């Protein structure tokens, strides 16, 4: 008799078909966003959950579903899962690291360059029929080549972003919970480890690539933005909540930093409507990993984790190994 799983969001049909070879699958292919209570109810009688960051996987869910063995998130981030509660309940929790590193780094560069070179703003100007003549100061912005790049969060994605800077002849500064090994710094365009404050003061372009947690909430707030150069840009491809969005809006409105590229927001998909009145911000709807090969690889990685977990194996991307030790 097949074990039962619930797939909480629409996924690629071929991945769903693969899961159906192993499990009795109930899926949310209509792609409705489930509340915490709705997900709790959908987990009834299920051995495993295939989730995404939009669904809150809470201690209450684990308490109401003692039969649950695994929750497998289709994302690198997993702040939607109460991992401590999962561990206490004996439930394996997994994520999908590595498969999106290069695509996300590509997008980080795309967003940073669009921000620096005012691409969105100038396109809106053109589409509105306002382009009547060439001007020496029309949509001028800071250079990327030869500039100083500051990366906060120097994990695999941060290092991939740093490697790309070599072709732009940039100096790389980084801040991280711990310093990289010398050989890692060398591969990351000879990145220099500095304090967060020094990075913000010196960098021409700041890119955020750190995971969200209580400790990293509002890593960039009003005090940090005040340290940045008025000509600097800020790019957030990390998670909503890393930046105090209200403070960012105020600094952009006042011209205290030049521009920002924002792919993630506090309380997304809701976001502060004040962003829409600003011309010096590039806004995208959490699409840093959105290439077809990468999203398919993420879905298959989550499926791999779920198949392993419910087959009595240790899943390759287990977040709480204490469950297996127990």
């Amino acid at each position: 008799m097949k074990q039962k799983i619930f797939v909480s969001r629409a996924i690629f049909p071929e991945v769903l078909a693969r899961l159906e070879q192993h499990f009795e699958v109930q899926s949310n292919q209509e792609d409705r966003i489930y509340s915490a209570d709705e997900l709790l109810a959908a987990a009834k009688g299920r051995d495993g959950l295939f989730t995404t960051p939009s669904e809150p996987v809470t201690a209450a869910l684990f308490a109401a579903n003692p039969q649950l063995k695994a929750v497998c998130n289709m994302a690198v981030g997993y702040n939607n899962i109460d991992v401590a509660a999962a561990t206490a309940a004996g439930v394996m929790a997994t994520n999908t690291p590595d498969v999106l590193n290069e695509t996300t780094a590509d997008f980080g560069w795309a967003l940073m360059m669009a921000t620096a070179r005012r691409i969105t703003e100038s396109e809106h100007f053109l589409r509105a029929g306002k382009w009547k003549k060439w001007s020496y100061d029309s949509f001028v912005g800071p250079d990327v080549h030869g500039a100083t790049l500051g990366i906060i969060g120097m994990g695999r994605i941060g290092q991939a972003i740093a490697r790309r800077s070599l072709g732009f002849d940039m100096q790389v500064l980084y801040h991280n919970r711990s310093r990289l090994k010398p050989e890692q710094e060398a591969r990351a365009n000879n990145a220099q480890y500095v304090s967060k404050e020094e990075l913000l003061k010196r960098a021409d372009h700041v890119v955020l690539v750190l995971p969200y947690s209580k400790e990293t909430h509002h890593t960039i707030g009003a005090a940090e933005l005040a340290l940045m150069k008025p000509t600097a840009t800020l790019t957030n491809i990390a998670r909503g909540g890393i930046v105090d969005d209200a403070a960012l809006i105020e600094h952009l409105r006042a011209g205290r930093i030049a521009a920002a590229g924002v792919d993630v927001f506090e309380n997304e998909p809701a976001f502060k409507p004040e962003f829409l009145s600003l011309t010096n911000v590039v806004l995208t709807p959490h699409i840093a990993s959105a290439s077809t090969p990468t999203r398919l690889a993420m879905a298959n990685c989550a499926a791999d984790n779920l198949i392993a977990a419910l087959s009595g194996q240790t899943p390759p991307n287990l977040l709480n190994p204490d469950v297996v030790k127990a």
Side-chain angles (χ1 to χ4, degrees):
M1 192 172 180
K2 289 183 177 180
Q3 296 184 85
K4 299 177 180 180
I5 68 168
F6 177 64
V7 179
S8 64
R9 294 290 304 278
I11 59 171
F12 294 93
E14 57 265 45
V15 178
L16 194 63
R18 182 181 168 214
L19 290 168
E20 287 171 343
Q21 293 175 3
H22 296 268
F23 309 114
E24 180 183 313
V25 179
Q26 178 187 349
S27 64
N28 175 27
Q29 286 299 97
E30 67 178 6
D31 211 33
R32 188 168 61 82
I33 303 297
Y34 277 56
S35 67
D37 288 342
E38 288 174 321
L39 186 64
L40 184 153
K44 292 290 185 184
R46 301 287 151 180
D47 301 287
L49 298 179
F50 183 117
T51 58
T52 74
S54 62
E55 298 87 54
V57 184
T58 63
L61 183 147
F62 297 123
N65 293 281
Q67 82 293 337
L68 197 63
K69 302 180 183 70
V71 176
C72 299
N73 223 36
M74 185 182 150
V76 173
Y78 50 89
N79 53 289
N80 61 305
I81 301 174
D82 187 333
V83 177
T87 304
V91 177
M92 289 178 275
T94 69
N95 67 337
T96 60
D98 298 328
V99 294
L100 48 66
N101 295 345
E102 299 302 323
T103 292
T104 302
D106 284 350
F107 184 82
W109 269 89
L111 187 56
M112 178 184 70
M113 294 185 73
T115 299
R117 298 304 305 273
R118 302 174 66 178
I119 289 176
T120 299
E121 182 184 359
S122 60
E123 182 184 1
H124 287 169
F125 180 86
L126 182 150
R127 286 179 179 273
K130 297 179 180 179
W131 187 30
K132 304 300 182 184
K133 63 178 182 178
W134 178 91
S135 301
Y136 77 94
D137 59 351
S138 179
F139 297 104
V140 295
D143 271 326
V144 174
H145 72 274
T148 297
L149 174 64
I151 301 172
I152 300 180
M154 200 63 153
R156 296 179 182 92
I157 297 170
Q159 291 173 55
I161 288 171
R163 289 196 304 272
R164 285 157 173 74
S165 71
L166 181 62
F168 289 82
D169 193 28
M170 300 181 86
Q171 179 185 14
V172 179
L173 309 176
Y174 77 96
H175 181 72
N176 203 40
R177 285 180 298 180
S178 56
R179 185 170 183 172
L180 300 181
K181 296 177 181 178
E183 58 269 26
Q184 291 176 305
E185 291 183 339
R187 287 195 297 270
N189 194 11
N190 297 308
Q192 179 185 354
Y193 181 69
V194 296
S195 68
K196 182 174 72 172
E197 292 73 21
E198 183 177 353
L199 182 150
L200 293 168
K201 290 176 182 178
R202 292 174 56 187
D204 298 302
H205 305 287
V206 177
V207 181
L208 306 176
V209 208
L210 63 166
Y212 181 80
S213 66
K214 291 180 181 178
E215 291 71 32
T216 61
H217 181 72
H218 286 185
T219 291
I220 302 297
E224 289 75 21
L225 291 165
L227 295 174
M228 294 176 64
K229 301 175 183 178
T231 54
T233 72
L234 177 73
T235 300
N236 186 8
I237 56 168
R239 275 290 186 270
I242 297 291
V243 174
D244 180 341
D245 285 352
L248 176 59
I249 288 166
E250 179 57 32
H251 278 70
L252 289 169
R253 183 181 287 129
R256 291 197 284 269
I257 65 171
V262 186
D263 186 51
V264 289
F265 304 84
E266 295 188 273
N267 305 311
E268 63 182 52
F271 64 94
K272 293 187 179 300
E274 292 87 348
F275 274 122
L276 299 177
S277 66
L278 300 172
T279 58
N280 56 343
V281 61
V282 181
L283 307 171
T284 54
H286 202 150
I287 59 169
S289 65
S291 75
T292 301
T294 294
R295 288 283 172 86
L296 183 57
M298 291 168 66
N300 274 312
C301 182
D304 290 342
N305 285 320
L306 193 52
I307 292 165
L310 297 186
S311 300
Q313 303 170 36
T314 300
N317 305 117
L318 186 62
L319 296 168
N320 51 348
D322 287 346
V323 168
V324 175
K325 293 176 185 177

